[in-house]
Amino acid sequence: MAKKPKLSHRQKRQVAANRQKRLSGKQQSSPDLSALLAGRVIGRFGKQADVQDTEGNVVRCHIRRTIKSVVCGDEVLFARSEVPDENIGGVIEIVQDRRTVLTRPDFYDGVKPIAANIDQIIVVSSVKPELSLNIIDRYLVACEDTDIKPLLVLNKVELLSDDERETVSASLAIYQELGYELLLTSCKSGEGIAELHERLRDKTSVFVGQSGVGKSSIINQVLPDADELVGEISENSGLGTHTTTAAKLLSIPSGGELIDSPGVREFALWHLPQERITWGFVEFRDYLGGCKFRDCKHLNDPGCIIRQAVEEGKINQQRYDNYHRIIAAMAEQRPAYANRLISNPDEP
Ligand SMILES: Nc1nc2c(ncn2[C@@H]2O[C@H](COP(=O)(O)OP(=O)(O)O)[C@@H](O)[C@H]2O)c(=O)[nH]1
Ligand SMILES: [Mg+2]
Ligand SMILES: [Zn+2]
């Protein structure tokens, strides 16, 4: 056995001090909490993040290595560098608990956060080329999964005749009956735009929806400096594309904030397990656990009280049909999805 080395007095003191620190749970690098500043992450770039402090100053920060993830919208505590270099002005020390988080599936981690502290998801649809309730249902399921409140926006309504408008309003009434709010807008006539400004005030919002419905046009109306390209079809085309553009948090001049990126707009196209889809249909919740068989598919299974509720008119037939359409589409998509994740493991 090796002979124990003899410690000097100084070394002994050091060991005792280290031990004391370790036992009291203190890390040598623990930040002085009283010196930290509050801020919000408005952008993420590689190993750094831009943080906006309460006075509106933007400080590019390093991220303390012990922090697991920092995304756009995060509320953080950061320390200003004592000697700021020209690029880096501080270090993010603490990420506050997230009120809400938007995630995307990740091959390695299961899910990966992409934006945090969002108050509402603006689900944009349009009447032309066609209105798809199935797509709306899919977005609503994804919103329910995140527990972030959706606002349904139906755009391009100036294209409707009075009769068509009545038909469309009647078919969207299902959602209002379920408690979802609906706003009709037109970027051409300006209808509903003032109300949309009102709905964005004092909140952090994201816009989602299929390509061509008018998201960029609407964003240009609420963020005059955004200079969004209208008619661009590169984004939001689903599983075929993937994009590495990081999310940004933007201040709306009339009040409120927007978190935006092509990745954020692709939200809802991502895969969800079946039980989350079922949970996402709010009107099914009262019946969950009540079917005869625990693994009820709510299809032709005997003793299915969801199907029974549909037959009794308590659950809307179209919603029920869309539920099964979404389940089937997700099942079909699963293998393609896995391939996509394997081929792009480094996506942010
Ligand atoms: N008629 C009409 N067209 C619109 C309206 N809003 C957008 N558009 C058009 O719809 C197309 C797609 O718009 P865009 O904003 O690029 O949609 P995005 O793909 O969702 O970002 C463009 O040709 C726009 O000019 C609207 O309210 N009415
Ligand atoms: Mg666009
Ligand atoms: Zn059932």
Side-chain angles (χ1 to χ4, degrees):
M1 216 166 91
K3 203 178 162 195
K4 256 191 186 173
K6 213 168 153 93
L7 300 183
S8 71
H9 283 299
R10 192 192 56 76
Q11 287 170 322
K12 278 182 186 158
R13 270 202 311 277
Q14 183 66 59
V15 170
N18 287 350
R19 181 182 159 79
Q20 188 61 39
K21 246 183 212 156
R22 179 168 57 81
L23 292 180
S24 67
K26 269 195 185 156
Q27 295 291 310
Q28 217 143 350
S29 62
S30 83
D32 173 5
L33 292 181
S34 63
L36 295 184
L37 301 165
R40 189 134 192 237
V41 175
I42 64 166
R44 254 316 299 265
F45 315 89
K47 292 189 163 63
Q48 294 151 16
D50 276 351
V51 177
Q52 188 160 39
D53 70 14
T54 47
E55 274 143 39
N57 306 306
V58 177
V59 182
R60 182 151 299 186
C61 291
H62 282 308
I63 298 163
R64 187 63 71 198
R65 209 169 303 163
T66 48
I67 294 176
K68 228 181 119 203
S69 99
V70 173
V71 294
C72 203
D74 265 328
E75 313 261 10
V76 299
L77 296 178
F78 70 103
R80 285 257 188 198
S81 312
E82 271 158 29
V83 197
D85 83 33
E86 55 184 302
N87 295 315
I88 301 297
V91 185
I92 295 176
E93 298 285 3
I94 287 169
V95 177
Q96 310 275 28
D97 287 346
R98 293 167 177 158
R99 283 180 285 113
T100 59
V101 60
L102 217 64
T103 58
R104 46 149 297 142
D106 181 78
F107 182 67
Y108 294 104
D109 300 333
V111 291
K112 204 166 185 174
I114 51 169
N117 302 318
I118 295 154
D119 301 306
Q120 63 181 351
I121 297 175
I122 319 283
V123 178
V124 186
S125 314
S126 78
V127 298
K128 295 278 158 74
E130 60 173 349
L131 174 61
S132 165
L133 301 192
N134 184 48
I135 299 282
I136 291 181
D137 286 328
R138 187 150 171 173
Y139 278 109
L140 289 178
V141 166
C143 292
E144 293 295 338
D145 182 57
T146 61
D147 224 2
I148 304 171
K149 209 176 168 210
L151 167 65
L152 297 177
V153 166
L154 180 67
N155 190 36
K156 309 195 190 181
V157 291
E158 94 287 350
L159 294 174
L160 296 173
S161 69
D162 288 352
D163 279 358
E164 287 171 328
R165 191 174 169 121
E166 216 163 276
T167 312
V168 161
S169 298
S171 58
L172 291 173
I174 315 171
Y175 299 107
Q176 289 167 300
E177 282 156 23
L178 292 172
Y180 295 116
E181 294 187 79
L182 171 69
L183 193 58
L184 306 187
T185 59
S186 166
C187 295
K188 295 272 145 79
S189 75
E191 175 176 350
I193 300 296
E195 204 178 336
L196 180 62
H197 272 108
E198 210 53 56
R199 305 298 300 268
L200 296 171
R201 201 178 307 251
D202 304 326
K203 292 198 178 89
T204 301
S205 308
V206 298
F207 282 87
V208 302
Q210 285 196 300
S211 190
V213 295
K215 292 180 301 300
S216 293
S217 305
I218 294 174
I219 290 170
N220 280 340
Q221 302 246 348
V222 297
L223 276 174
D225 292 339
D227 227 0
E228 282 274 333
L229 287 171
V230 165
E232 284 283 293
I233 52 157
S234 57
E235 72 180 50
N236 208 353
S237 48
L239 298 172
T241 33
H242 78 101
T243 164
T244 54
T245 313
K248 286 175 300 199
L249 186 143
L250 306 155
S251 287
I252 302 169
S254 60
E257 279 152 347
L258 205 68
I259 295 183
D260 195 28
S261 76
V264 167
R265 292 181 201 178
E266 268 189 16
F267 174 71
L269 301 171
W270 305 330
H271 183 263
L272 283 178
Q274 173 151 355
E275 61 275 13
R276 293 308 292 169
I277 298 171
T278 312
W279 177 252
F281 279 73
V282 286
E283 69 274 46
F284 290 11
R285 289 180 193 173
D286 290 349
Y287 303 95
L288 296 181
C291 297
K292 184 169 176 194
F293 296 106
R294 278 190 65 166
D295 61 346
C296 186
K297 297 277 177 274
H298 317 305
L299 217 45
N300 297 316
D301 320 50
C304 174
I305 64 168
I306 287 184
R307 204 193 56 245
Q308 191 184 327
V310 175
E311 284 159 10
E312 290 169 1
K314 291 175 183 149
I315 289 178
N316 179 282
Q317 177 77 47
Q318 176 135 32
R319 286 270 291 173
Y320 174 79
D321 292 343
N322 284 345
Y323 166 74
H324 284 296
R325 238 178 256 160
I326 293 169
I327 298 274
M330 291 265 183
E332 206 167 277
Q333 183 187 317
R334 200 167 289 136
Y337 208 90
N339 283 338
R340 178 197 182 212
L341 292 174
I342 290 163
S343 61
N344 299 303
D346 293 328
E347 273 182 74

